[in-house]
Amino acid sequence: MGLYARYIGPRFVSCLCSMQDITAERLKVVPNASGVVLEIGIGPGLNLPLYDPARVERVIGVDPGSDFLRIGSGRHATSPVPLEIMEAPAEALPLSDALIDTAVVTYTLCSVEDPMRVLSELRRVLKPAGRVLFLEHGLAHDEKVSTWQHRLNPIWKRLAVGCNLNRPVASTFEKAGFRLPEVDHYYLSGVPRAVGYLCRGVAVSTG
């Protein structure tokens, strides 16, 4: 692993993901989590201050990247809710079946190795009435924007240490066996559309 991928890239991504406008979007999602919560891609811990201690029993934070976890060590230590950190890939969660009330997925499906396998694992660990709260950027419905996303993706993926611009979000959830009772597609203002197409919603297992 090179110097950029280990030290510079993770800090670059963490800075982008902590922008004020992005934090405002997180605030529309994270405070709705309740019970035993699983957050995949917890890394820098940007969601931790947003959890509601009155609703959350504990958070299990999973991330495969020690570099991102190191950046978040300060936030982990001051978490307002009980926190357990696991260094593991979301494709193979070290958790028992039907353990989780709420899974939180924010700006993470863009960079996992296998999104379908990750969502399969989320279905496995969710309780029957469990839900996924998600906020992701991904492939735009606008053909002009999506064309640029495909063109820029090889460069962006290297710059943002594995993040992809052109992964569909809602359809990936549906193909993985979820239905989406709540879903919104929109552009984040103030950023180029190629990187600012967002999908936010709630997913529940179809069975």
Side-chain angles (χ1 to χ4, degrees), residues 91-110:
E91 291 86 350
L93 295 170
L95 300 171
S96 58
D97 296 355
L99 173 68
I100 302 299
D101 296 294
T102 310
V104 172
V105 184
T106 60
Y107 303 103
T108 297
L109 288 181
C110 57

Side-chain angles (χ1 to χ4, degrees), residues 9-26:
R11 292 194 176 277
F12 168 71
V13 172
S14 296
C15 286
L16 285 180
C17 289
S18 61
M19 291 169 53
Q20 184 175 352
D21 288 347
I22 291 180
T23 300
E25 295 303 312
R26 294 178 188 273

Side-chain angles (χ1 to χ4, degrees), residues 15 28 37 49 55 61 89 96 138 143 159 169 171 186-187 194 198 206:
C15 286
K28 299 174 184 178
V37 177
R55 303 186 65 181
S96 58
E143 187 176 348
L159 182 66
V169 179
S171 62
Y186 57 102
Y187 289 102
L198 301 184
T206 56

Side-chain angles (χ1 to χ4, degrees), residues 129-144:
R131 43 190 197 135
V132 182
L133 308 180
F134 65 89
L135 170 64
E136 293 288 330
H137 74 92
L139 187 65
H141 290 163
D142 184 331
E143 187 176 348
K144 292 181 179 179

